[in-house]
C-alpha cells in the first residue's frame, strides 16, 4: 500500500488535495489551469516539500506508536486494565448525563410522581382499614363472631365468652392441638 514510483512511499497528496475552492464569480476552469501552469522549479520545490511532510507524518506516527506503547506499559505497572478503564469511562459518562438539565428535570418529575403515588397508596390503605373496621362492626360479622364463641365454649370448656375474634381463633387452635396430643402419645406407645 505504501508504494510509489518515487521513494517507495505512498503519496497522500492525491487524497488530501488542498486546492483552494474557487471564489464566487471565479471561473473553475481558470483555477484548475493555475496548478498546471507551475514552472518546473515550483513543481520540484512542491515535490520536495511533499516528501518532507510525508516523512514528518511518518515520524509522528512512529512517535505516537511509541507513546501508546509506553502508556500501555505504565497502565500495566499500575494495574489498570481495560475493565477498570471501561468502568471509569462509564462512571464519567453517567456523571456527565446526570449533570444535564434534561436528566434533572426528568428526575424531579419522577420524584414528584413517586410522592403522588405514595400519597395515593396511603389513602387507599386508609380506605381499606376503614372498610375492614366497618365489616368488623357489621351485624353479619358480629353474628359470625357469636357463633364462633359458642363453638369455642362447646369445644374448649368453660371460659368467658368475652374475648375478641383473635382470641377465639387462638384458643380454638390450642384446643385442637391439645386434642391431638393424646392420640399421638397413644400411637407411639402402641409401637
Amino acid at each position: 500500500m505504501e508504494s510509489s514510483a518515487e521513494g517507495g512511499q505512498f503519496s497522500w497528496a492525491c487524497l488530501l488535495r488542498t486546492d483552494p475552492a474557487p471564489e464566487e464569480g471565479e471561473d473553475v476552469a481558470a483555477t484548475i489551469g493555475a496548478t498546471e501552469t507551475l514552472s518546473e522549479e515550483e513543481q520540484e520545490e512542491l515535490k520536495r516539500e511533499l516528501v518532507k511532510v510525508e516523512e514528518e507524518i511518518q515520524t509522528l506516527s512512529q512517535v505516537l506508536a511509541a507513546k501508546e506503547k509506553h502508556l500501555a506499559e505504565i497502565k500495566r505497572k499500575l494495574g489498570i486494565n481495560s475493565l477498570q478503564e471501561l468502568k471509569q469511562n462509564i462512571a464519567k459518562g453517567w456523571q456527565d448525563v446526570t449533570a444535564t438539565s434534561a436528566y434533572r428535570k426528568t428526575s424531579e418529575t419522577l420524584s414528584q410522581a413517586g410522592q403522588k403515588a405514595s400519597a395515593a397508596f396511603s389513602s387507599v390503605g386508609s380506605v381499606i382499614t376503614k372498610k375492614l373496621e366497618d365489616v368488623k362492626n357489621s351485624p353479619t360479622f358480629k353474628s359470625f363472631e357469636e357463633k364462633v364463641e359458642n363453638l369455642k365454649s362447646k369445644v374448649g370448656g368453660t371460659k368467658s365468652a368475652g374475648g375478641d375474634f383473635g382470641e377465639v381463633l387462638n384458643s380454638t387452635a390450642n384446643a385442637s392441638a391439645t386434642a391431638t396430643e393424646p392420640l399421638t402419645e397413644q400411637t407411639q406407645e402402641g409401637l
Side-chain angles (χ1 to χ4, degrees), residues 18-91:
T18 59
D19 294 341
E23 295 292 325
E24 190 174 335
E26 189 178 356
D27 188 10
V28 175
T31 305
I32 294 173
T35 58
E36 294 174 4
T37 60
L38 293 174
S39 69
E40 282 188 37
E41 249 179 55
E42 291 172 328
Q43 287 180 1
E44 287 299 317
E45 178 64 31
L46 288 175
K47 286 180 183 179
R48 283 191 297 273
E49 187 177 344
L50 177 65
V51 169
K52 182 180 174 186
V53 170
E54 287 176 342
E55 287 174 356
E56 288 174 354
I57 290 172
Q58 186 177 13
T59 302
L60 290 172
S61 295
Q62 291 170 348
V63 169
L64 179 61
K67 292 286 185 183
E68 287 175 343
K69 185 177 178 182
H70 184 65
L71 174 69
E73 182 66 22
I74 292 171
K75 285 181 179 181
R76 184 189 63 77
K77 287 180 180 178
L78 289 173
I80 299 173
N81 59 26
S82 299
L83 182 59
Q84 289 172 329
E85 285 186 62
L86 179 63
K87 286 179 184 177
Q88 289 173 349
N89 288 343
I90 289 172

Side-chain angles (χ1 to χ4, degrees), residues 12-13 16 18 25 36-37 79 97-99 114 120 131-132 135 142-143 150 156 162 164 175:
W12 290 96
L16 302 173
T18 59
E36 294 174 4
T37 60
V97 166
T98 57
K131 288 293 182 184
L132 287 175
V135 167
K142 295 236 185 236
S143 171
N150 288 337
D164 68 356

Side-chain angles (χ1 to χ4, degrees), residues 171-182:
S171 64
T172 306
N174 289 337
S176 27
T178 309
T180 57
E181 284 178 11

